[in-house]
Amino acid sequence: MPHDTWRLLIDTAERGATNMARDEAIAAACGRGAAPPTLRLYRWRPACLSLGRFQRSAELDRAACARAGVEVVRRPSGGRALLHDDELTYAVVAPLDHPLLGAGSILESYRQISLALLAALRRLGADAALTPVGRERRVAGSAACFDAPAAYELTVDGRKLAGSAQTRREGAILQHGAIPLTPHADRLAALLLRPPADLGEKMIALDQAIGRAAGFDEVAGALTAGFGAAWGVAFEPGELADEERAIERRLRDEKYESESWTYAR
């Protein structure tokens, strides 16, 4: 029987600035004990390219993004560029010392979240595997997140299926990641000034991994069931509290919609 209850948020599509502000707002409230551990599943509209917290914006072709109608946002987490379009994005938020997430260990938290993602993806029929520690590939200077898997990230036939990034602040863990439902390697490469070679051979979309189309709702259901089974938790659908909404509005307006944040590096 489940021994813990988490809040489940399944959101409608939002702009990039709103999505990043909402993730950070949930983490800020959770770190203060004002919000429960949360699994948030969401999507983006319009398409958006997100930069890692410390990534140089000079790696991005801003003119190409404008021509393609792709917005740009900088994440609060690290990592490299992701194109968010026709995908499911997950966010896991919990106190830093939560026992399910390694009770403070960064590597163990990645492993536990990846095991839950693995359970979910296998429910959909993906023959996915975790990248073992010590076998992760690092591509020097690459601007694209899906160019190589990091420790415990998910691959199918050696090709990266889910890209994730984590940040820890104000007493909370925030890890979010993207599962592309359909291929977009060529579109991502066109938005970078120096795209990695053969990106389409290094990443894989869910429909390629399972041999059929899977929509957002089906994948969201599989993630909810997979996380629940892997962690022994129950998920209770919920909403943002007033405090979280207020933090989200402030962060969206003052931070994530500001070019001084997006192009600070």
Side-chain angles (χ1 to χ4, degrees):
M1 293 292 293
H3 58 76
D4 196 3
T5 300
W6 283 48
R7 179 176 58 172
L8 175 66
L9 301 175
I10 301 181
D11 285 347
T12 56
E14 298 284 358
R15 295 182 55 227
T18 298
N19 277 329
M20 293 300 90
R22 187 166 300 170
D23 278 356
E24 187 175 342
I26 295 168
C30 184
R32 293 200 290 270
T38 298
L39 174 65
R40 179 179 175 234
L41 307 176
Y42 60 96
R43 55 196 121 176
W44 310 60
R45 188 172 296 129
C48 184
L49 187 143
S50 72
L51 297 167
R53 171 68 180 88
F54 303 105
Q55 186 173 11
R56 294 174 57 248
S57 59
E59 296 174 345
L60 169 68
D61 188 335
R62 294 178 65 176
C65 288
R67 288 194 300 270
V70 174
E71 295 188 340
V72 180
V73 71
R74 184 177 293 276
R75 301 189 302 270
S77 56
R80 295 168 291 177
L82 286 165
L83 176 61
H84 305 282
D85 188 23
D86 196 20
E87 70 167 35
L88 181 145
T89 304
Y90 77 88
V92 171
V93 180
L96 280 175
D97 59 355
H98 197 289
L100 278 175
L101 297 181
S105 165
I106 294 174
L107 196 59
E108 183 62 13
S109 67
Y110 271 106
R111 189 177 80 89
Q112 291 299 332
I113 293 171
S114 290
L115 286 171
L117 290 168
L118 182 65
L121 292 168
R122 286 182 173 172
R123 284 173 177 266
L124 292 165
D127 186 18
L130 300 189
T131 302
V133 175
R135 294 191 182 179
E136 63 269 30
R137 298 196 308 273
R138 302 187 183 277
V139 181
S142 176
C145 174
F146 277 89
D147 196 23
Y152 296 132
E153 287 195 314
L154 293 144
T155 62
V156 173
D157 295 329
R159 298 165 68 188
K160 189 169 175 178
L161 176 57
S164 300
Q166 186 179 121
T167 184
R168 294 170 170 235
R169 62 182 65 192
E170 300 179 8
I173 297 170
L174 163 61
Q175 181 168 316
H176 45 198
I179 302 171
L181 304 182
T182 54
H184 63 238
D186 290 345
R187 291 186 62 207
L188 172 57
L191 304 177
L192 302 173
L193 289 174
R194 291 177 293 279
D198 303 322
L199 184 58
E201 298 177 10
K202 297 171 182 175
M203 63 184 292
I204 188 169
L206 184 61
D207 66 348
Q208 296 171 308
I210 65 177
R212 63 178 179 85
F216 177 91
D217 291 339
E218 181 186 358
V219 180
L223 260 72
T224 304
F227 272 81
W231 289 357
V233 303
F235 287 101
E236 183 175 321
E239 297 181 353
L240 293 179
D242 290 344
E243 176 183 349
E244 292 169 298
R245 293 188 184 280
I247 298 171
E248 176 194 312
R249 288 192 295 270
R250 175 177 56 80
L251 289 170
R252 182 195 63 212
D253 296 345
E254 298 178 6
K255 182 176 181 179
Y256 290 105
E257 288 190 337
S258 169
E259 289 200 354
S260 64
W261 164 261
T262 305
Y263 300 107
R265 299 180 66 86

